[in-house]
Amino acid sequence: MRQFIEPEPPPNGDVHTGPELFIGIIAAVGTDIDPLLGCLRQSLERVRYRSHSVELMSLLPRQAGAKGMGWFEEGRQFRAQAGNKGALAWLAMRAIEEERRRRPSGEYRVAYIVSTLKTPEEVSAFREVYGRSFVAIGVYASKEERRHRLRAVGQSEEEVEALLRAEEGEPEKPYGQNLEATFPQADFFVEAQEGDLQRQVQRFVELLFGNLFHAPTRDEYGMFHAVSAGLR
């Protein structure tokens, strides 16, 4: 795991001061990240951080009725027009800066949770700007679980397979998504459907704040080495 921020106890017990945190969520299409986000907010509250969510695709102007591949194409076009595969990350950083201006200085400590990152360049952009204050979480769900969720929201079988293929990376579309190359860039991995998700997330927060008594578990080692294969 990379070396992250080294938060110090707030001076004089002031819970409103302290470093900002930036957490990027990497997940494949069809992955249910809502349970993770709920657990993450709870664990961050325990260390006196409020969460602010930034959803990358919500920052794009949406075409009426667009869904599925339409959303993918909107993201690809935005990156292509910007000439930058990490363009959505820079859009998110602008949204974060706008939120900072709206929030009174020092009102409370904030963790910005950005979902979902789909290109290695997006991860690199956040690390370039936020340095050790940025950490990426890879959320794993099996392909069959993701197929099931996509069908449940009304995607046809053909649309589901097209989404899964497109997200893994399309050489003929250089500004498209490339989750296969992005997922291994995560600093910490969790399983979306794991029964002890709250424990996994609490462990992540403790590691983030310097609990050096945690060593990577055998499951975490296994997930890291198997992650690319699991996306196929």
Side-chain angles (χ1 to χ4, degrees):
M1 201 174 190
R2 293 187 303 119
Q3 169 133 18
F4 302 113
I5 60 167
E6 298 173 351
E8 297 180 355
N12 302 318
D14 184 0
V15 301
H16 303 308
T17 61
E20 293 176 309
L21 304 179
F22 305 89
I23 301 172
I25 306 299
I26 304 173
V29 64
T31 303
D32 184 6
I33 65 171
D34 287 343
L36 166 73
L37 297 179
C39 291
L40 193 52
R41 292 187 189 102
Q42 290 179 23
S43 292
L44 287 167
E45 285 174 3
R46 292 192 182 103
V47 289
R48 298 179 178 179
Y49 270 84
R50 293 191 186 180
S51 301
H52 179 80
S53 296
V54 179
E55 185 180 347
L56 291 187
M57 293 303 292
S58 70
L59 302 176
L60 291 174
R62 285 287 177 84
Q63 298 177 7
K67 65 176 185 177
M69 287 299 293
W71 293 347
F72 278 23
E73 184 61 18
E74 286 177 1
R76 188 195 67 78
Q77 289 180 4
F78 183 81
R79 296 184 197 98
Q81 289 169 3
N84 186 335
K85 296 178 183 179
L88 283 171
W90 297 102
L91 197 61
M93 285 185 261
R94 186 172 70 182
I96 289 171
E97 187 58 35
E98 290 172 354
E99 172 61 22
R100 282 169 163 166
R101 293 195 192 102
R102 287 191 292 268
R103 177 171 55 87
S105 178
E107 185 180 10
Y108 46 79
R109 298 194 291 180
V110 181
Y112 296 93
I113 304 173
V114 184
S115 60
T116 52
L117 311 186
K118 302 288 189 177
T119 71
E121 290 80 9
E122 290 168 357
V123 178
S124 297
F126 282 113
R127 286 184 175 149
E128 176 184 339
V129 173
Y130 299 130
R132 293 193 300 169
S133 293
F134 173 77
V135 58
I137 302 177
V139 189
Y140 174 77
S142 72
K143 186 168 283 189
E144 196 49 50
E145 289 169 343
R146 292 185 280 126
R147 282 192 179 102
H148 177 75
R149 289 199 75 243
L150 290 169
R151 294 187 197 108
V153 297
Q155 299 288 337
S156 69
E157 197 66 37
E158 183 178 350
E159 289 170 331
V160 168
E161 295 308 315
L163 285 168
L164 296 178
R165 285 194 305 271
E167 188 172 60
E168 289 174 4
E170 298 177 292
E172 70 277 12
K173 296 181 179 180
Y175 288 97
Q177 302 186 35
N178 189 352
L179 194 75
E180 189 170 283
T182 309
F183 204 95
Q185 301 299 315
D187 301 293
F188 194 85
F189 299 92
V190 299
E191 292 192 57
Q193 302 301 319
E194 186 67 28
D196 64 346
L197 185 59
Q198 182 64 65
R199 182 194 62 80
Q200 291 184 72
V201 173
Q202 184 61 36
R203 174 185 171 80
F204 158 75
V205 172
E206 290 174 0
L207 284 167
L208 186 63
F209 279 81
N211 187 334
L212 302 181
F213 294 99
H214 285 312
T217 66
R218 183 170 57 185
D219 287 344
E220 287 166 352
Y221 273 124
M223 185 177 291
F224 176 80
H225 290 296
V227 68
S228 293
L231 288 170
R232 296 190 181 100

